[in-house]
Amino acid sequence: MKDTPGWASPGSAPSDGQESGPAGRPGPAEPADQPGPEPQDGAGTQGHGSQWSKEQPPAGQWSAPAGPGSSARPGPPPPPPGPGWGTQPPQGYGPYSNGTPGHPGWGGGWGGPPPAAKPGVIPLRPLGVGEILDGAVSTMRTYWRTVLGISLTVAVVAEVIVILLQGLVLNDTSTAALDDPSASAKELTRALGEAMLSSSVIFLVSLIATVAATALLTTVTSRAVLGRPVTTGEAWRDARPQVLKLLGLILLLLVIAAAIVFGGMLPGILVAVFANSAAGFALAALGGLGGGIVALWLMIRFSLASPALMLEKRGVVKSMSRSAKLVRGSWWRVFGILLLAGIIANIISAIVVIPFTFIAAAFSGDGISGLLNSGTGDLGWTFLIVSGIGSVIGSMITYPINAGVTVLLYIDQRIRREALDLELARAAGVTGYGAGAGSGG
């Protein structure tokens, strides 16, 4: 982004620091108070400690005797403690700093962390899972005109294309042969090919729509972090140079995933075809499962490539390498957050889409029973239009949540690893944020 310095330049690497012990207390290597002359007021212990003084010293202002038969001179009381216990650790260390040099940590002890700067939808510090999800929802709520305008436009265009394809081009496809035990191999092959063609065309349209929505919403979310609104036109002008690269990135990731899964299934397929053995199908299933696990691992590793490409203006390969660097050591956390966000978005979308689907079936010629038992692709214009309205509403919800969580997760990883919050604070005009933070050594 042109007005957000630091998006494209990583911060300095973390370095080690020193911890300081509590102030005003002897450490484990420090000797206790040296014994002195017998107190004049009888406040100390006498002999072997069988007698106590009449008035106990206040807590925290006495030390144990140096040895049997000796008493310690009560010294002057220590200075009153400051806020919290102990001295403040060096700047840049604390529960929220992750040891990053220059990161404003906190050392107030029991006082808790100071409030982080929050110029936009998230506080400028490492985020929790709830804060990432809340940030995505807050972006929708705060900048709803731009967010819903982009989502609605993309969803309507994509759904109109899908409805026209299903109603005019793909209306004669039939999958009934797949459920017919007496169908010939030729009929099964034809039905399977038509089903795959129909699904592939719809998937391609949905993929292009997802790319467009992600490109535009990434810009909106990144500005929302700084508390700056952005119009749809501004978002498009900022994202336009990277849209084709983003499409190439997503297609490349899909090809890689499909190649890995197919490579895992290939030995079993060869055994089933050439050896005519039923064990080949089991081997193919096992290989496909193994390939799917590897593909999933890679997809999470490259899951932050999209915001890296859009915000850092990188190429496809460099964005993938950037994502792998940011996700390294946090794979399970990134996987869990993306999975949770996907489940929430799909549940909300299903709550909207499923009722529209049954309403569409009720107004179609065959009714709901025809929908459940139908094996044909000819669903009628009424069904396509009504169910398409539900799909548009569902997409308006899923697009912003998925894109927002991915962008905020990318920002969170950079805050944890590169102290990006300092750059964001300067870009947002927050004065005094991180002042006095050491550079580390």
Side-chain angles (χ1 to χ4, degrees):
M1 294 171 47
K2 297 180 181 179
D3 56 349
T4 55
W7 282 107
S9 57
S12 57
S15 60
D16 298 330
Q18 298 179 353
E19 296 180 359
S20 52
R25 300 191 181 193
E30 297 180 7
D33 294 341
Q34 299 296 329
E38 295 293 334
Q40 301 298 324
D41 55 359
T45 56
Q46 304 290 336
H48 50 76
S50 59
Q51 298 179 354
W52 292 82
S53 62
K54 296 181 180 180
E55 183 178 356
Q56 293 289 340
Q61 299 184 13
W62 64 280
S63 59
S70 63
S71 61
R73 178 195 302 269
W85 288 7
T87 59
Q88 184 173 359
Q91 287 286 349
Y93 295 89
Y96 290 112
S97 68
N98 287 326
T100 305
H103 195 291
W106 57 275
W110 298 100
K118 189 178 180 181
V121 295
I122 60 170
L124 299 183
R125 56 171 172 76
L127 305 174
V129 178
E131 290 172 323
I132 292 177
L133 296 174
D134 180 70
V137 175
S138 297
T139 302
M140 295 175 58
R141 184 175 61 249
T142 306
Y143 307 102
W144 63 271
R145 293 179 184 274
T146 304
V147 172
L148 296 184
I150 292 172
S151 301
L152 177 62
T153 302
V154 174
V156 167
V157 172
E159 195 61 34
V160 168
I161 295 175
V162 169
I163 290 175
L164 293 177
L165 287 174
Q166 289 179 327
L168 299 177
V169 180
L170 306 174
N171 59 339
D172 58 345
T173 59
S174 175
T175 59
L178 298 177
D179 299 325
D180 187 3
S182 61
S184 63
K186 183 178 180 179
E187 292 174 341
L188 290 173
T189 303
R190 179 182 177 183
L192 183 60
E194 291 179 350
M196 292 182 62
L197 176 62
S198 176
S199 300
S200 299
V201 171
I202 295 174
F203 174 77
L204 181 60
V205 174
S206 301
L207 177 63
I208 296 175
T210 302
V211 169
T214 301
L216 297 173
L217 293 174
T218 295
T219 301
V220 175
T221 305
S222 64
R223 299 287 183 89
V225 171
L226 303 176
R228 297 178 180 175
V230 58
T231 65
T232 304
E234 293 172 343
W236 171 246
R237 284 192 295 271
D238 185 78
R240 182 175 54 188
Q242 299 294 106
V243 170
L244 291 180
K245 291 182 180 179
L246 181 61
L247 178 60
L249 171 66
I250 294 179
L251 289 175
L252 179 59
L253 293 178
L254 290 175
V255 170
I256 292 175
I260 293 175
V261 175
F262 180 76
M265 297 176 62
L266 185 59
I269 294 175
L270 295 177
V271 171
V273 172
F274 292 102
N276 197 18
S277 173
F281 294 101
L283 181 60
L286 184 61
L289 178 61
I293 294 175
V294 175
L296 175 63
W297 181 80
L298 281 177
M299 293 305 101
I300 298 300
R301 188 174 176 84
F302 298 139
S303 60
L304 303 183
S306 171
L309 183 143
M310 295 301 302
L311 297 177
E312 300 183 25
K313 310 302 181 185
R314 295 173 178 260
V316 173
V317 177
K318 290 185 178 180
S319 298
M320 294 171 63
S321 174
R322 183 80 166 112
S323 174
K325 180 181 178 181
L326 292 174
V327 176
R328 186 182 299 121
S330 303
W331 190 94
W332 284 106
R333 180 175 183 272
V334 174
F335 168 72
I337 293 175
L338 292 177
L339 178 62
L340 178 61
I343 291 174
I344 292 175
N346 286 313
I347 289 177
I348 296 175
S349 177
I351 293 175
V352 176
V353 172
I354 292 177
F356 272 89
T357 302
F358 281 96
I359 293 173
F363 283 97
S364 64
D366 297 332
I368 297 178
S369 61
L371 172 65
L372 299 176
N373 299 324
S374 175
T376 65
D378 187 10
L379 300 175
W381 287 103
T382 301
F383 178 87
L384 292 175
I385 293 174
V386 176
S387 62
I389 294 174
S391 298
V392 168
I393 299 175
S395 298
M396 288 176 59
I397 300 172
T398 56
Y399 285 158
I401 292 179
N402 291 330
V405 167
T406 303
V407 174
L408 295 179
L409 187 55
Y410 159 83
I411 294 174
D412 174 61
Q413 287 300 109
R414 287 197 61 183
I415 289 176
R416 293 173 180 271
R417 295 178 181 271
E418 302 168 357
L420 180 65
D421 53 334
L422 301 179
E423 298 287 343
L424 295 177
R426 283 193 288 268
V430 179
T431 58
Y433 184 80
S439 60

